[in-house]
Amino acid sequence: MADFSRIVTAMGWPLAIILAWLAGEVLHRWSRLPRISMYGLVGFLMAQVMPDSFSSGASSTVTLLANLAFGLILFEFGYRINLHWLRINPWIAVSGLAEAAATFAVVYLISHLTQMPPLTSLLLASLAMSTSPAGVLRVINESDSAGQVTERVLHLVAINCVLALFVFKVVVGFWVFQTSGSLAQAVSHSLIELGGAALLGGLLGWLVPALLRQLGALAQDGTLAFAMGVMLLVLLAHTLDVSPVLATLTFGLAARHSRVMLSRTERNFGAIGELLAILLFVFAATALEWERVVAGAALGAVLVLARFLVKTGAVMLFARAGGISWRKGLLTGVALAPMSVFVTLLLEQTRYVGIVLVDELAALAAMTLLLEVLGPVLTQRALIWARETPDEEEV
């Protein structure tokens, strides 16, 4: 019996990935809803039924694979960002800054009014600023969408992530250094960490394309080279204690501006990329516990609604100035709903410095589960209503 129990425990991750894939395929073929909504739900349910199978530390193989999967998605995401477009139309950046700041302020105010400790409120507000690049990009690729709303969503998500990452690191840094009472020390530590990550990603984003040009292998070996570059970058980031999120995002951004052209097949990183993506979304939900979800359900629902209204309203407010209609501004804001994967991996990274913040944020657990399932659906609907997907998606 003991041997059977060990076998069942060891089979937890493979079984969860297989069931998530099957559930995602059934859901998509039956309802055309995003596959990733089921990945997270299956991961959460499996973690409640077989909790011993899904306990993973910061240095576990599964955690490293999840970070690698996120790195591959962030590389592709960074590659889609066009800095020249932001210079031509600065209102996109302005709307991104405005909606992120407004989201932070509203979430902090609500958390503070519920008697949550100030540092916990700050952490919750910083994470609520973000939008998950993994969730948004997977929906965009699955829907094959293209157009004004799609491009604005991508650029706003990038702005959200960078701002949320910076503020989160400052708050965590202050949490670590609060014994010294030096906010300046906390900010400088975060700036060094983020600057090192950006430098590392930018350097690799220049080095890998240069190497491929010298080998004359851009067309044949680009996918493998960039995948290995992401793997190296994620491991280096963890070793050097810098942000793998910003490092891989910068890697993709630098590769794009090195005039490297990626084919559609290379963008998806093939079957291995698909497998790792399923693991990533399952992993994000296994970190949640039913007790915390229930405990934070009421506040979590309020914060999800507030976050949704603020982001949608702020983006809509700057829509006409940015060159699109109110309607497209509204849909762009709706598409910013996903949050879960980005938040989960940021919280996992804080374990490296001995901080277990998940225990402090029951409301965040409820928000994460709700947006793991509902967020991708809202993004998909927004893209369809914007008429930026093929006709068959509108059935």
Side-chain angles (χ1 to χ4, degrees):
M1 181 64 69
D3 289 339
F4 178 74
S5 176
R6 281 197 295 270
I7 291 171
V8 171
T9 300
M11 287 296 294
W13 279 107
L15 185 61
I17 291 171
I18 292 169
L19 290 177
W21 174 71
L22 287 173
E25 290 300 317
V26 170
L27 175 76
H28 185 69
R29 295 184 184 190
W30 174 66
S31 65
R32 309 303 292 174
L33 292 175
R35 294 175 175 89
I36 60 174
S37 291
M38 286 305 296
Y39 297 165
L41 187 58
V42 169
F44 175 73
L45 294 175
M46 290 287 290
Q48 312 316 305
V49 175
M50 304 167 60
D52 294 338
S53 299
F54 300 96
S55 56
S56 57
S59 60
S60 72
T61 302
V62 173
T63 303
L64 290 174
L65 286 174
N67 278 283
L68 175 58
F70 196 44
L72 291 173
I73 292 174
L74 282 169
F75 170 83
E76 180 184 348
F77 193 91
Y79 185 83
R80 296 285 297 268
I81 303 304
N82 187 349
L83 294 179
H84 181 62
W85 191 37
L86 292 177
R87 287 194 295 269
I88 292 174
N89 189 351
W91 284 107
I92 297 173
V94 171
S95 64
L97 291 169
E99 59 94 354
T103 301
F104 179 89
V106 169
V107 172
Y108 177 80
L109 178 62
I110 294 173
S111 303
H112 185 68
L113 290 174
T114 60
Q115 309 303 313
M116 195 176 286
L119 273 177
T120 306
S121 298
L122 288 170
L123 285 168
L124 190 56
S126 66
L127 292 170
M129 293 166 66
S130 68
T131 301
S132 175
V136 168
L137 190 61
R138 292 295 299 183
V139 172
I140 286 174
N141 285 346
E142 188 176 275
S143 302
D144 197 24
S145 67
Q148 286 184 321
V149 171
T150 301
E151 292 304 315
R152 275 171 167 76
V153 168
L154 286 169
H155 288 73
L156 288 174
V157 170
I159 294 169
N160 280 184
C161 288
V162 172
L163 291 174
L165 182 61
F166 172 72
V167 176
F168 178 79
K169 291 293 184 181
V170 169
V171 177
V172 170
F174 186 60
W175 190 304
V176 173
F177 295 114
Q178 62 182 329
T179 52
S180 66
S182 174
L183 181 60
Q185 186 180 7
V187 173
S188 63
H189 180 270
S190 298
L191 285 173
I192 292 170
E193 181 183 344
L194 296 176
L199 182 63
L200 209 61
L203 180 63
L204 208 62
W206 169 81
L207 187 60
V208 174
L211 179 62
L212 288 174
R213 285 195 185 91
Q214 288 297 317
L215 296 174
L218 271 176
Q220 297 84 2
D221 303 326
T223 303
L224 180 60
F226 285 117
M228 289 193 296
V230 169
M231 180 176 67
L232 175 64
L233 195 54
V234 169
L235 293 174
L236 274 175
H238 284 294
T239 303
L240 300 174
D241 194 25
V242 299
S243 170
V245 173
L246 186 58
T248 48
L249 188 65
T250 307
F251 181 25
L253 189 65
R256 176 194 176 99
H257 289 82
S258 294
R259 299 293 186 266
V260 177
M261 299 301 294
L262 296 179
S263 70
R264 190 160 187 78
T265 302
E266 289 170 324
R267 278 183 177 180
N268 295 328
F269 286 99
I272 295 299
E274 295 291 338
L275 177 62
L276 287 174
I278 297 172
L279 181 144
L280 173 63
F281 286 96
V282 171
F283 174 84
T286 58
L288 307 175
E289 294 181 9
W290 175 252
E291 292 79 9
R292 291 196 183 95
V293 170
V294 172
L299 179 57
V302 171
L303 292 175
V304 164
L305 180 60
R307 175 183 178 273
F308 177 80
L309 292 175
V310 170
K311 282 185 174 291
T312 303
V315 175
M316 188 177 173
L317 182 65
F318 290 96
R320 296 302 293 269
I324 57 175
S325 65
W326 298 116
R327 179 178 179 276
K328 286 193 173 183
L330 173 66
L331 294 175
T332 301
V334 170
L336 296 175
M339 181 182 86
S340 307
V341 171
F342 183 86
V343 166
T344 300
L345 290 184
L346 273 190
L347 290 176
E348 280 294 321
Q349 288 162 22
T350 62
R351 296 178 190 268
Y352 291 126
V353 292
I355 302 175
V356 185
L357 298 174
V358 177
D359 298 332
E360 305 286 336
L361 301 171
L364 184 63
M367 291 177 70
T368 301
L369 180 61
L370 181 59
L371 292 177
E372 179 93 1
V373 177
L374 185 60
V377 176
L378 290 173
T379 300
Q380 184 202 53
R381 292 295 102 185
L383 296 175
I384 291 173
W385 292 333
R387 299 185 180 90
E388 295 187 1
T389 61
D391 292 339
E392 60 265 26
E393 291 290 334
E394 298 186 41
V395 175

